[in-house]
Every structure is written in C-alpha cells, then in structure tokens.
C-alpha cells in the first residue's frame, strides 16, 4: 500500500513539474533606462525638466515594448547606417539625422503611408521638387542614395530658416510654416519649449528613443546579432531600353534579386495600350524604358 501511495505521489509531482515547465515565463516589464545626459545633433536635451523627461520615457516605453518593429529596425541598422551617415556627413548634416530616417520608414524602402513613401517618406510633390523620379515604373524615393541626398537638400533648406537642427527635424514633420507660426505665437525659441500637435510633439523624442535603443540595444533587452551591410555591389549604368530578365542573367542573378538590390524599380504588372512596350509588359514590367537623355544606375552583386 505504501509503495502504491509513493508511486501515485511521484506521478502527481511529476505531472505538476511538467505543467509548470510548460508555463511561459513572464517577461520582466521595467521602465526603460534614461541616461543622465543626452544630446541630439549637438543640442543638449533638458532632461532636468520633468515634462521633457516624461516625453522621452513615453517614447522609450512605446519602442522598447513594440518588439517586432524595433527588432526589424535593429536588423536593418547594420545594413544602412554607414551609407546614410556618410551622405549626411558629406552634406554637413549631423549623423543623428540617421534616426529621422529610422522613425520615418523603419529603414524599409517599401514603407508607404498612403501619402508618402520610401526611406525618408517623401510625398510625390516634394519628391519631384527635390529631383526624385516618381512614375509608373520608377520610384526613386526607394533609392537609398538618391533619396538620402534629396533629404539632405531638404533638411539643409529647412535649416537655413531655423539655424537649429532640432527645430529643423520638427519642421521636416509638420512643415516650415507651421513651426514658424507656432514659435511666433508662443513666444519661444526652442523645440523643447513648444506645445505642438501630438505627432510633432513626439517626433524628436521618437528620434531620441530610437537613438538610445539602436546604439545600446542590450540596455533595453534586445539581443541582436551583428548584421553586415549588403554584400559588395557594383553599379551598372543603363542608358537605353533594356529587358530586366536579360540584365539579371547577364550578372548571374534572377529578376527577384535584381529587384531586391534596386527597390526603386516599381513592380507594376499589366500595361496599357499607349505604353511603348504594351505587348511585352502585359503580364509584368519586363521591359524597362529609358527616355532620351536619361540614365539609371542599377546595383548588382560584384562579380
């Protein structure tokens, strides 16, 4: 009898251990770390102000616990940061503006809000103003180098007005006129003293939050393996109409890989009878048309 009781007790305890082993371990939820001091584009963030500190804390909480999108950002930082900051530095724009691209698109070339698209989320009209081509088959807002150069031109244009990079960032979001009018109406000179619409009110703090997370992921609970940049590529300049399938084969890749390295190529299945290559492009845009006097730079893996 005692042996049977011990056996039943053992089975019972074994069952409990299995049940508890299968229970998910609760995530440790904590308020994210805020450093004693912080700068954005060389301007000190007034963290001694409890309102400013709370605004930063809110954006940190949102992004630290928005796991999937923040992890995707961290995975893309290694691929894009060096290229973007290089162009920013060349144009005398603080490297911290890399985080403006981060919050605008999560470094995803296909990001599209419905009104704006690409790495820097340009609207059609602004893209064209800054010499980016947006057509049926080409969207250069998705071209990393061209769109970043256009963003630099736009930012430097804004900074001529504000002569302050934090206000320039805010104006990138809400527009030059809105920031000028708000500064005048409220009688202040700093972004951190302005009361703004909800989105612009959070905008710079979102940049700061992503800067802290991306530069110190382990401090915020993210274990991310180092992502290398794209493999070595070479530029192929195209000055005349070309078959994209044949172009890909020439460099020992396929159409999908060609699109991967050149997200500015719009996948636009179907064609209209007025198109030059109506017959060839009935199913998908295989033929790429180059207007007279134009040329395009394609990236392909280095041979």
């Amino acid at each position: 009898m005692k042996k049977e009781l011990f056996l039943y007790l053992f089975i019972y305890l074994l069952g409990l251990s299995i049940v508890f082993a299968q229970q998910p371990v609760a995530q440790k939820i904590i308020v994210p770390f805020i450093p004693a001091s912080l700068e954005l584009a060389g301007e000190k963030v007034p963290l001694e102000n409890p309102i400013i500190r709370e605004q930063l804390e809110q954006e940190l909480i949102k992004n630290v616990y928005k796991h999937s999108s923040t992890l995707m950002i961290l995975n893309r930082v290694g691929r894009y940061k060096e290229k973007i900051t290089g162009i920013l530095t060349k144009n005398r724009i603080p490297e911290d503006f890399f985080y403006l691209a981060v919050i605008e698109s999560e470094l995803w070339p296909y990001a599209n809000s419905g009104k704006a698209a690409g790495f820097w989320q340009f609207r059609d009209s602004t893209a064209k103003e800054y010499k980016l081509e947006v057509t049926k088959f080409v969207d250069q807002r998705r071209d990393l180098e061209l769109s970043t150069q256009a963003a630099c031109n736009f930012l430097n244009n804004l900074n001529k007005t504000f002569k302050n990079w934090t206000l320039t960032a805010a104006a990138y979001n809400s527009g030059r006129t809105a920031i000028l009018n708000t500064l005048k109406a409220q009688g202040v000179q700093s972004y951190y003293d302005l009361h703004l619409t909800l989105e612009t009110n959070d905008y710079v703090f979102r940049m700061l939050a992503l800067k802290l997370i991306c530069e110190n992921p382990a401090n915020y609970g993210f274990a991310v393996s180092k992502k290398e940049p794209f493999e070595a590529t070479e530029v192929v300049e195209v000055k005349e109409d070309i078959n994209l399938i044949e172009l890909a084969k020439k460099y020992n890749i396929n159409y999908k890989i060609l699109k991967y390295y050149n997200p500015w190529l719009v996948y636009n299945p179907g064609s209209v009878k007025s198109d030059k290559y109506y017959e060839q492009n009935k199913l998908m845009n295989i033929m790429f048309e180059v207007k007279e006097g134009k040329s395009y730079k394609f990236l392909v893996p280095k041979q």
Side-chain angles (χ1 to χ4, degrees), residues 33-262:
F33 167 74
I34 296 177
S37 63
L38 184 61
E39 290 185 354
L40 184 74
E43 182 179 354
K44 185 181 176 183
V45 182
L47 292 175
E48 67 280 1
N49 183 327
I51 297 173
I52 300 301
R53 191 176 183 84
E54 183 179 15
Q55 284 182 279
L56 176 58
E57 185 177 83
Q58 287 175 351
E59 287 305 311
L60 271 171
I61 290 169
K62 289 178 192 175
N63 289 280
V64 166
Y65 295 106
K66 193 165 62 173
H67 297 140
S68 57
S69 61
T70 303
L71 271 172
M72 290 304 298
I73 289 168
L74 289 168
N75 280 338
R76 293 172 187 144
V77 165
R79 177 168 292 167
Y80 294 118
K81 186 175 183 181
E82 184 177 349
K83 179 73 75 173
I84 292 175
T85 55
I87 298 171
L88 291 173
T89 300
K90 183 180 176 182
N91 287 271
R92 298 183 179 181
I93 291 174
E95 288 188 11
D96 280 346
F97 273 74
F98 168 72
Y99 298 103
L100 191 146
V102 169
I103 69 170
E104 284 286 352
S105 66
E106 297 184 353
L107 302 178
W108 178 235
Y110 298 100
N112 191 314
S113 68
K115 294 180 180 179
F119 285 101
W120 295 86
Q121 289 294 286
F122 281 112
R123 291 173 181 251
D124 287 9
S125 57
T126 309
K128 291 171 184 176
E129 180 184 351
Y130 285 89
K131 312 304 181 188
L132 294 176
E133 184 178 340
V134 181
T135 63
K136 184 177 180 181
F137 295 118
V138 172
D139 191 342
Q140 291 179 335
R141 294 175 294 183
R142 300 177 185 173
D143 184 297
L144 182 68
E145 291 193 29
L146 292 178
S147 67
T148 300
Q149 183 57 56
C152 288
N153 295 341
F154 187 21
L155 288 164
N156 274 327
N157 192 354
L158 288 171
N159 198 50
K160 286 177 184 177
T161 298
F162 297 101
K163 297 178 175 55
N164 173 278
W165 287 111
T166 313
L167 288 171
T168 294
Y172 189 96
N173 175 251
S174 67
R176 188 194 318 262
T177 302
I179 296 299
L180 283 172
N181 289 343
T182 308
L183 286 167
K184 183 178 179 180
Q186 296 180 21
V188 296
Q189 297 181 327
S190 167
Y191 169 83
Y192 298 107
D193 291 327
L194 280 173
H195 178 73
L196 297 157
T197 60
L198 287 177
E199 183 179 346
T200 312
N201 207 48
D202 295 339
Y203 195 75
V204 167
F205 292 100
R206 193 170 302 126
M207 287 177 67
L208 287 163
L210 267 300
K211 175 184 176 179
L212 286 170
I213 295 167
C214 290
E215 293 182 356
N216 304 280
N219 285 358
Y220 299 95
F222 292 97
V224 183
S225 57
K226 185 180 179 182
K227 283 280 182 178
E228 298 300 326
F230 278 128
E231 63 179 296
T233 57
E234 59 182 305
V235 175
V236 176
E237 190 168 9
V238 172
K239 296 182 178 181
E240 57 187 19
D241 299 359
I242 194 166
N243 183 305
L244 295 176
I245 302 294
E246 291 177 3
L247 176 65
K249 286 181 179 177
K250 183 178 178 180
Y251 293 94
N252 301 313
I253 57 175
N254 57 34
Y255 183 76
K256 180 176 181 177
I257 295 172
L258 184 69
K259 290 279 192 179
Y260 179 77
Y261 282 100
N262 300 279

